[in-house]
């Protein structure tokens, strides 16, 4: 057993090089390092790491097999519970979940569970001789709305049990936030495609360019013979601050900005959906999406990129690894700062839009932390007289998203909360409508990939219980 207190470091591209390309930043472990890291597991009698995993992977079992060099066996353990191991190994916030519960973390670094999972999944994808066998059909049909992590997980779990599953995706490429939201340098799109191919081998069908609520309704799906519907449509409605200047050219929501770049190839000269490149860019927000947008702007040729966040580094919600990578790449963090106005100018000769001008800067006020709010976080309070101007060319708002109201507005009787999230039973994912289930960001608002996957698993089990009894 490896009793080192430090986890094996992850090899990465040099910051000065990677800041100018979209290649994956982390290079991954080799076989020897993966075995060595897996051998740090103590194989606790009551493994807390499993309780910290939203999809309940048998982590000690897969680490034991990985430590012995049985990578295919380790992959089988992981995929008994997870349909997206190569994705989770890259973007799951293990530090707050499985690794956050690891006993080794009490006196050193926790076991690098995510890093080993990533290696195992990549090893399988490189060495697997044949795709998984399609299970025997049980005669039941289920529709899944959305091909993001919750939808893919629900579909995969049901397909393994013999269900005839069809995923309906609004965009032209399946994968949801995995393809339009997370940049290539964090999650290569070939990895997502490979995971979806694995689901296709199980018999899952994917219909793209189908907008539920426009092309078809939830009722239409039942009329077509589907016996249950899972809504995993995500949270694609961006939020803004409602400050002056947000209608200026050069202001984007992070959702639009990343979708244009990741899915619509906005970095190409011939793109139909270009984004402004170069100059000085400010990204407002402190989550993973803000880090993704800032690092993307840098790779698109920005001269200077700022993260503007109204709280301190201790409250910054983004993963530590992403924050460290952003700092290494030269992104400047303006902490305890908050925008109050986006500044711009109007070109009277611009006939394209006589009402709006172009971004020239941002008026910002400095903040300090006051009393804790209802969640225990100290409230940011403006410091009077501390305003200053920041010269800019582009502003990206990364302050969160809400569920799109389209499905609710076209599905009578579907209950939602005041934030627009679909109301479900926590234990089953069942909505207010018979046969309709929901999970992921469509319920919670923007959250993590792994939590969405957990919701997809919960709903799949409930659907199986309901339909299996027929």
């Amino acid at each position: 057993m490896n009793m080192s207190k430090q986890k094996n470091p992850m090899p990465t591209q040099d910051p000065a090089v990677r800041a100018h390309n979209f290649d994956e930043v982390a290079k991954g472990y080799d076989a020897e390092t993966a075995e060595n890291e897996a051998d740090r597991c103590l194989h606790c009698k009551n493994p807390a790491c499993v309780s910290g995993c939203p999809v309940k992977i048998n982590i000690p079992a897969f680490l034991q097999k990985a430590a012995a060099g049985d990578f295919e066996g380790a992959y089988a353990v992981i995929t008994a519970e997870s349909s997206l191991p190569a994705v989770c190994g890259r973007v799951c916030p293990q530090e707050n979940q499985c690794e956050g519960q690891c006993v080794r973390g009490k006196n050193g670094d926790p076991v690098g569970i995510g890093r080993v999972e990533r290696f195992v999944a990549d090893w399988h994808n490189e060495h697997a001789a044949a795709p998984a066998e399609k299970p025997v059909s049980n005669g039941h049909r289920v529709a899944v709305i959305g091909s993001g992590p919750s939808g893919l997980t629900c579909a995969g779990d049901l397909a393994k049990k013999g269900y005839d599953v069809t995923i309906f995706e609004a965009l032209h490429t399946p994968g949801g936030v995995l393809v339009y939201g997370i940049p290539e340098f964090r999650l290569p799109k070939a990895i997502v495609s490979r995971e979806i191919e694995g689901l296709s081998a199980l018999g899952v069908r994917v219909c793209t360019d189908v907008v539920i609520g426009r092309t078809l309704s939830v009722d239409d799906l039942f009329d077509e013979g589907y016996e249950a519907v899972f809504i995993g449509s995500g949270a694609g409605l961006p939020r803004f601050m409602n400050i002056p200047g947000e209608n200026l050219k050069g202001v984007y929501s992070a959702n639009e900005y990343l979708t244009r770049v990741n899915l619509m190839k906005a970095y190409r000269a011939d793109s139909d959906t270009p984004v402004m490149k170069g100059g000085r860019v400010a990204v407002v927000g402190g989550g993973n999406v803000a880090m993704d947008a800032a690092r993307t702007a840098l790779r698109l040729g920005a001269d200077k990129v700022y993260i503007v966040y109204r709280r301190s580094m201790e409250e910054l919600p983004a993963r530590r690894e992403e924050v460290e990578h952003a700092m290494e790449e030269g992104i400047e963090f303006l902490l305890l700062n908050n925008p109050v106005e986006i500044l711009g100018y109007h070109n009277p000769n611009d006939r394209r839009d006589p009402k709006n001008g172009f971004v020239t800067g941002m008026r910002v006020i400095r903040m300090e932390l006051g009393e804790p709010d209802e969640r225990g976080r100290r409230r940011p309070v403006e410091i009077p007289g501390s305003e200053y101007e920041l010269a800019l060319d582009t502003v990206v708002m990364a302050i969160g998203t809400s569920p799109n109201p389209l499905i609710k507005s076209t599905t009578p009787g579907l209950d939602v909360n005041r934030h627009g999230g679909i109301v479900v039973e926590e234990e089953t994912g069942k909505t207010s409508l018979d046969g309709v289930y929901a999970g992921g960001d469509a319920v919670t608002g923007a959250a993590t990939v792994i939590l969405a996957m957990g919701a997809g698993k919960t709903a799949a089990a409930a659907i199986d219980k309901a339909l299996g009894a027929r």
Side-chain angles (χ1 to χ4, degrees):
M1 183 174 291
N2 176 7
M3 294 305 296
S4 171
K5 291 185 178 182
Q6 284 78 44
K7 69 171 67 172
N8 286 276
M10 172 65 82
T12 61
Q13 282 194 72
D14 181 85
V17 174
R18 71 184 190 231
H20 304 288
N21 68 56
F22 278 84
D23 297 337
E24 191 169 13
V25 169
K27 296 181 177 181
Y29 283 166
D30 58 22
E32 181 180 357
T33 307
E35 290 178 19
N36 183 269
E37 184 61 33
D39 200 36
R40 293 184 64 230
C41 178
L42 298 177
H43 302 285
C44 308
K45 185 176 180 180
N46 298 304
C49 56
V50 177
S51 64
C53 174
V55 296
K56 298 297 182 280
I57 294 170
N58 188 338
I59 294 168
F62 103 73
L63 289 175
Q64 185 173 35
K65 289 185 178 295
D70 180 8
F71 303 129
E72 192 60 29
Y75 182 82
V77 173
I78 296 170
T79 53
E81 303 298 338
S82 172
S83 299
L84 306 171
V87 170
C88 287
R90 287 169 163 82
V91 303
C92 184
Q94 292 94 1
E95 66 273 19
N96 298 325
Q97 295 173 344
C98 56
E99 292 183 19
Q101 302 296 320
C102 178
V103 172
R104 292 297 302 267
K106 294 181 179 180
N107 188 24
D109 291 338
V111 176
I113 298 167
R115 296 176 180 182
V116 179
E117 179 183 19
R118 168 186 164 149
F119 171 82
V120 166
D122 289 352
W123 189 94
H124 167 83
N125 288 337
E126 184 178 344
H127 295 88
E133 234 178 83
K134 181 180 177 180
V136 176
S137 174
N138 63 18
H140 293 294
R141 299 179 68 201
V142 177
V144 172
I145 301 172
S147 63
S150 65
L152 293 176
T153 298
C154 184
D157 278 18
L158 290 171
K160 290 173 185 176
K161 296 178 181 293
Y163 287 86
D164 180 350
V165 183
T166 302
I167 297 175
F168 295 93
E169 167 56 45
L171 298 177
H172 62 276
T173 300
V177 69
L178 303 176
V179 294
Y180 73 71
I182 303 177
E184 182 80 9
F185 56 82
R186 275 220 295 141
L187 179 62
K189 302 306 163 256
I191 296 291
V192 181
S193 296
R194 183 64 184 260
E195 300 281 50
I196 293 173
E197 287 170 9
L199 295 181
S200 296
L202 294 173
V204 175
R205 288 188 296 277
V206 181
C207 296
T208 56
D209 300 308
V210 180
V211 181
I212 301 299
R214 285 290 181 268
T215 315
L216 293 169
S217 68
V218 171
D219 286 341
D220 290 336
L221 296 177
F222 284 111
D223 290 343
E224 291 188 4
Y226 293 100
E227 300 167 78
V229 174
F230 174 76
I231 302 173
S233 51
L237 187 66
R239 295 176 186 166
F240 287 90
M241 294 183 67
N242 296 318
I243 58 175
E246 282 185 311
N247 59 349
L248 290 165
K249 293 173 184 144
V251 179
Y252 301 88
S253 71
N255 195 48
E256 176 192 4
Y257 187 77
L258 291 170
T259 299
R260 286 193 185 197
V261 176
N262 296 332
L263 188 63
M264 311 302 289
K265 314 301 181 188
Y267 49 82
R268 294 178 179 169
D270 61 347
S271 173
D272 291 330
T273 59
V275 295
M276 297 179 73
K277 298 184 282 248
R280 297 162 68 90
V281 180
V283 178
V284 181
N288 291 325
V289 174
M291 300 305 126
D292 287 344
R295 298 172 69 197
T296 294
L298 193 65
R299 285 158 173 78
L300 290 176
D303 300 318
K304 182 69 178 178
V305 181
Y306 302 97
I307 289 285
V308 181
Y309 181 59
R310 63 182 185 154
R311 289 185 165 95
S312 71
M313 183 63 74
E314 286 68 34
E315 287 80 28
L316 201 74
R319 294 185 66 188
R320 291 297 98 184
E321 182 177 76
E322 304 308 322
V323 174
E324 290 167 4
H325 284 171
M327 288 181 166
E328 290 170 356
E329 292 166 9
I331 291 169
E332 184 175 340
F333 284 65
L334 300 179
L335 303 173
L336 290 169
N337 283 264
N338 202 40
V340 293
E341 181 181 3
I342 299 171
L343 308 172
Y345 75 92
H346 170 58
N347 179 358
N349 297 318
D350 180 12
R351 296 182 179 178
R352 292 172 298 173
D353 191 342
K355 296 180 181 179
N356 301 328
F358 292 82
V359 170
T360 60
M362 179 187 288
R363 196 155 54 87
V364 182
I365 191 166
R366 292 186 171 88
M367 314 289 285
E368 60 184 359
L369 296 179
E371 295 300 314
D373 61 18
E374 61 277 2
R375 292 183 294 175
R377 301 173 78 196
R378 294 176 64 192
R379 295 177 184 274
V381 179
E382 295 182 354
I383 300 175
S386 66
E387 293 185 13
Y388 66 97
E389 291 185 6
L390 190 65
L392 297 170
D393 302 283
T394 302
V395 175
V396 181
M397 291 293 182
I399 58 173
T401 55
S402 302
N404 192 306
L406 180 59
I407 290 180
K408 159 60 181 173
S409 66
T410 58
T411 310
L414 184 66
D415 290 346
V416 298
N417 60 30
R418 63 189 180 90
H419 301 294
I422 299 171
V423 176
V424 301
E425 296 176 356
E426 187 176 347
E427 300 79 11
T428 63
K430 187 180 183 304
T431 71
S432 54
L433 297 175
D434 288 341
V436 180
Y437 300 75
D441 292 1
V443 171
T444 62
T448 64
V449 167
I450 193 67
L451 287 175
M453 290 176 63
K457 284 187 70 68
T458 295
I463 291 170
D464 179 49
K465 184 176 180 180
L467 298 185
R470 293 183 182 178

